[in-house]
């Protein structure tokens, strides 16, 4: 079961329920944990096992600490993005969000522990609660996609968005734009029916073909790269 959680500010937040537990992917901007809790309660889904972040940006991760504290869920984030959730985090060059270096104090104090337990640091290729990690660095060093075999679905975070058709994030929000343009090629060998983006509507059929078509178009028409 996959659903988008309504009422979350910032990026889109998703629930994924598989045999290996209930997961919230990118719970959203600061304060959004209440909307997540309301929804999980209304749907009578039981306890949240994991909060998984596709990357550290505040519109995806801002409420992660509060959600973990409220539910006892554990946090998982790619190892390369974990330092951004710690005090004395690496200096990020200023992005369009401008938010990157202005984390709320609660999150800045977060260190990489959650509800008293250490966060799980993810690596490419590993599986967590039925979701396989695909590391696609560029937008941030630890940006990941998450593939659900049971749902034939891929969560893309900000590796690609679908706001005005499929595209890579603009240069001014990327940690390394050069790598961000290459990151979606990591997805090319995967097969999945549905795609869920951090921003923009989901694609519910033939999503892998749509992403492949986008990558082919971009390779064959470099002048249109955006
Ligand atoms: Zn985003
Ligand atoms: Zn982002």
């Amino acid at each position: 079961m996959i659903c988008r959680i309504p009422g979350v500010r910032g990026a889109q937040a998703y629930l994924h329920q598989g045999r290996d537990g209930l997961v919230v992917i990118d719970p959203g901007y600061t304060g959004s944990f209440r909307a997540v809790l309301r929804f999980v309660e209304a749907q009578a889904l039981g306890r949240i096992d994991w909060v998984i972040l596709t990357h550290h940006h505040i519109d995806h991760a801002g409420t992660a600490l509060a959600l973990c504290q409220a539910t006892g869920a554990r946090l998982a984030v790619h190892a390369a993005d974990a330092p951004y959730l710690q005090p004395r985090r690496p200096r990020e060059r200023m992005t369009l969000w401008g938010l990157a270096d202005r984390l709320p104090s609660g999150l800045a104090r977060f260190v990489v522990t959650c509800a008293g337990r250490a966060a799980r640091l993810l690596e490419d290729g590993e599986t967590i609660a039925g979701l396989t990690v695909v590391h696609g660095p560029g937008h941030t060093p630890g940006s990941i996609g998450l593939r659900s075999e049971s749902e034939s679905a891929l969560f893309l975070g900000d590796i690609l968005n679908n706001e005005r058709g499929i595209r890579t994030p603009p240069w001014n929000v990327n940690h390394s734009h050069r790598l961000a343009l290459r990151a979606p090629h990591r997805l090319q060998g995967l097969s999945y029916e549905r795609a869920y983006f951090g921003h923009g509507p989901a694609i519910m059929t033939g999503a892998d073909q749509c992403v492949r078509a986008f990558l082919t178009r971009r390779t064959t028409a470099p002048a249109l790269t955006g």
Side-chain angles (χ1 to χ4, degrees), residues 55 57 59-60 97 139-140 143 158 173 199:
H55 62 297
H57 283 163
D59 56 326
H60 298 248
W97 303 112
H139 180 61
T140 67
S143 277
D158 284 354
V173 299
H199 307 274

Side-chain angles (χ1 to χ4, degrees), residues 7-200:
V8 166
R9 293 192 306 135
Q12 284 159 186
Y14 298 101
L15 271 172
H16 179 273
Q17 188 163 43
R19 269 180 314 183
D20 298 320
L22 184 64
V23 176
V24 175
I25 299 169
D26 289 350
Y29 193 79
T30 315
S32 291
F33 73 98
R34 292 185 197 89
V36 176
L37 291 176
R38 259 199 313 274
F39 185 71
V40 171
E41 215 161 275
Q43 305 288 314
L45 291 166
R47 52 168 273 151
I48 302 167
D49 297 292
W50 288 99
V51 174
I52 307 181
L53 303 177
T54 62
H55 62 297
H56 73 81
H57 283 163
I58 195 169
D59 56 326
H60 298 248
T63 205
L65 168 65
L67 183 59
C68 289
Q69 283 177 335
T71 61
R74 286 186 68 189
L75 181 81
V77 61
H78 189 274
D81 261 23
Y84 293 88
L85 299 175
Q86 296 175 337
R88 289 196 299 274
R89 55 207 299 275
R91 302 271 332 151
E92 182 82 316
R93 89 170 181 224
M94 191 51 86
T95 66
L96 182 70
W97 303 112
L99 308 157
D101 271 317
R102 275 183 257 143
L103 286 179
S105 56
L107 187 58
R109 277 199 306 272
F110 192 175
V111 196
V112 191
T113 63
C114 225
R117 288 187 287 177
R120 178 159 158 185
L121 302 185
L122 303 171
E123 298 287 352
D124 184 54
E126 76 174 274
T127 299
I128 173 170
L131 296 161
T132 304
V133 175
V134 185
H135 186 202
H139 180 61
T140 67
S143 277
I144 57 169
L146 293 162
R147 177 160 183 276
S148 164
E149 198 168 340
S150 62
E151 302 286 339
S152 187
L154 183 69
F155 297 91
L156 290 104
D158 284 354
I159 293 176
L160 290 171
N161 68 60
N162 193 27
E163 284 188 307
R164 283 168 295 150
I166 298 174
R167 54 182 65 208
T168 42
W171 66 270
N172 50 3
V173 299
N174 292 329
H175 181 87
S176 160
H177 190 55
R178 184 179 58 81
L179 289 179
L181 290 176
R182 285 217 312 250
H185 292 273
R186 297 251 22 238
L187 312 171
Q188 225 160 1
L190 305 173
S191 64
Y192 49 93
E193 192 63 20
R194 301 184 274 162
Y196 296 88
F197 301 87
H199 307 274

